[in-house]
Amino acid sequence: MSLRPRSGEQVPSLTAQIARASNPGGTTAMWVRDRLDGLWRDDDFAGWYPRDGRPGISPAQLATVSVLQFLLGLSDRQAAEAVRCRIDFKYAMAMELDDPGFHHSVLADFRERLAQDDRADRLLDLALAR
């Protein structure tokens, strides 16, 4: 899979409206989006993916899902299901409500890429700097 960077992705208005209406007090996923948005950008992951091939899922979105997965104690299957089914996860990832999400194996692949070299440390340093 190749990287096709997205930039400045905003939460779709219908997703935001329904997420706020159904969760007026917010959720952990909404808190993560509202407070931690911008910690990573797809360009930060450019060296992790080849330039050719079918476009992959946004690595910044996968990093967000990984944070939510850790915070909520979810398995890969549960996290992928939450992306498919939960409005607050779609909000956190700036997805349209009808976005089908991704297969759970994508998260293992992302963690594998993250474990190479000192990538995790570099992402943490970048997040702390921002």
Side-chain angles (χ1 to χ4, degrees), residues 52-67:
D52 298 335
R54 191 180 63 156
I57 297 165
S58 159
Q61 285 182 320
L62 292 173
T64 300
V65 172
S66 297
V67 168

Side-chain angles (χ1 to χ4, degrees), residues 1-50:
M1 294 220 180
S2 65
L3 177 64
R4 301 286 190 274
R6 305 171 335 143
S7 62
E9 201 64 30
Q10 298 295 316
V11 177
S13 60
L14 185 58
T15 303
Q17 178 184 356
I18 292 175
R20 293 276 173 223
S22 60
N23 300 291
T27 66
T28 300
M30 294 168 73
W31 184 91
V32 165
R33 174 67 190 197
D34 291 342
R35 289 169 183 80
L36 302 182
D37 181 41
L39 287 183
W40 302 287
R41 297 182 189 104
D42 284 345
D43 291 335
D44 298 330
F45 302 86
W48 298 21
Y49 295 87

Side-chain angles (χ1 to χ4, degrees), residues 61-98:
Q61 285 182 320
L62 292 173
T64 300
V65 172
S66 297
V67 168
L68 291 171
Q69 183 180 10
F70 173 77
L71 289 173
L72 300 173
L74 302 175
S75 68
D76 287 351
R77 286 183 190 271
Q78 290 170 325
E81 182 178 348
V83 170
R84 260 191 324 281
C85 302
R86 289 181 51 172
I87 295 168
D88 60 337
F89 269 61
K90 291 191 182 285
Y91 176 91
M93 294 179 60
M95 296 170 75
E96 296 287 346
L97 293 174
D98 62 352

